[in-house]
Amino acid sequence: MTTAVVQRDAAWYEAQYNNRARVPEHPAILARWAEASVLAREGLSHALDLPYGDSEAERLDVFAADRPNAPVLVFIHGGWWRALDKAEHAFVAPAYVKAGAMVVVPNYGLCPSVGIEDIALQTARALAWTWRHAAEHGGDSSRIVVAGHSAGGHLAAMLLACRWKTVGEDLPQRLVAGAMSISGVFDLEPIRQAPFLQQDLQLTPASVKRLSPAFFPRPKGPLYAVVGGQESDEHLRQNRLIRDQWGPSTVPVCETIVGKNHFDVLHDFVDPGARLHALGLRLLGID
């Protein structure tokens, strides 16, 4: 018995992946992030726009730990690899600095000026910089965790699977102690089919194969995969896919955050009373 292949049209991919269209209140949410990020910079010890590479986009912000040898959280923003900025995501820092971590928020080049492969390499350089300089800001380079939202969740999975010796001979074989993907995507073929992204991303079947971590060899992990319960069927499927492909030993957490959409799921990441924040602390080794 054979199973029929379901043919999807362009409108279906658009409806599944155009999260701004799915969440009409997203402008207010993004404005809230920006306002909270201003307050974070005012309230925390920080160093802004530190270069980790040669291009103008290769800059990062560091929010120092208030104690030595702290675990390090590197947070990678989303925006379908073509939008948003680290300046709008400083709001992730206060809760984790208060809990005892150092926080790094990198920028990266945006499509179409660069490709997703370039962005993956840029974020790898940001992690290499973090490993080399963590101690200067109170961090422990052996306890680096990366978390990312949406496209940043894809990049977090890519970084967990990175072969670090190809990035720098001085780097350890396993630079990332663990990763969290919040509303991430792991198979980019459906993304290639979404009309609203095609012009900027310029994905091809070959680049999809190189950039879909679901089909990479399993890294050592762990990866925590979480998604909002109100997100599209495709986002829910993508979250299950990485668990199915990498297995429960590599992906010990694969959860849906009830009542959250693609944007406000990130609020639970910084809410000390929320399950998602507790998972972030667990990943960092903070009790």
Side-chain angles (χ1 to χ4, degrees), residues 90-137:
F91 75 90
V92 304
Y96 288 94
V97 171
K98 183 177 180 180
M102 166 187 159
V103 177
V104 179
V105 186
N107 255 1
Y108 49 83
L110 299 177
C111 299
S113 296
V114 298
I116 299 176
E117 290 176 87
D118 301 308
I119 294 170
L121 291 171
Q122 287 178 339
T123 54
R125 287 194 287 271
L127 268 290
W129 183 97
T130 300
W131 183 83
R132 293 169 181 141
H133 297 276
E136 300 166 20
H137 304 274

Side-chain angles (χ1 to χ4, degrees), residues 159-283:
L159 290 163
L160 190 66
C162 183
R163 298 174 181 174
W164 291 103
K165 290 295 185 181
T166 68
V167 179
E169 292 183 359
D170 61 320
L171 302 177
Q173 289 187 345
R174 186 179 176 188
L175 188 151
V176 175
M180 176 183 286
S181 177
I182 304 167
S183 306
V185 290
F186 311 102
D187 172 10
L188 269 56
E189 178 57 27
I191 310 305
R192 188 174 75 88
Q193 303 293 337
F196 79 106
L197 294 171
Q198 288 172 343
Q199 184 173 353
D200 285 344
L201 302 189
Q202 295 291 308
L203 285 166
T204 66
S207 62
V208 162
K209 184 176 181 179
R210 292 192 297 269
L211 292 165
S212 294
F215 309 114
F216 292 180
R218 295 178 184 178
K220 293 192 180 297
L223 174 74
Y224 291 5
V226 296
V227 65
Q230 294 181 351
E231 299 202 48
S232 69
D233 290 343
E234 271 292 277
H235 271 288
L236 296 170
R237 182 191 68 82
Q238 291 266 4
N239 201 63
R240 295 190 300 269
L241 174 66
I242 197 64
R243 177 73 166 282
D244 292 343
Q245 292 295 121
W246 281 5
S249 60
T250 300
V251 187
V253 172
C254 182
E255 295 188 9
T256 299
I257 307 301
V258 175
K260 296 298 179 180
N261 64 44
H262 187 76
F263 297 94
D264 65 9
V265 67
L266 207 49
H267 299 170
D268 275 27
F269 183 62
V270 300
D271 178 356
R275 165 69 174 169
L276 188 49
H277 184 70
L279 289 173
L281 296 182
R282 182 197 299 179
L283 198 60

Side-chain angles (χ1 to χ4, degrees), residues 45-70:
S45 175
H46 61 262
L48 304 180
D49 295 319
L50 299 177
Y52 67 83
D54 295 332
S55 75
E56 279 299 312
E58 292 175 85
R59 301 290 184 269
L60 53 78
D61 297 343
V62 175
F63 298 89
D66 60 8
R67 65 200 77 175
N69 302 314

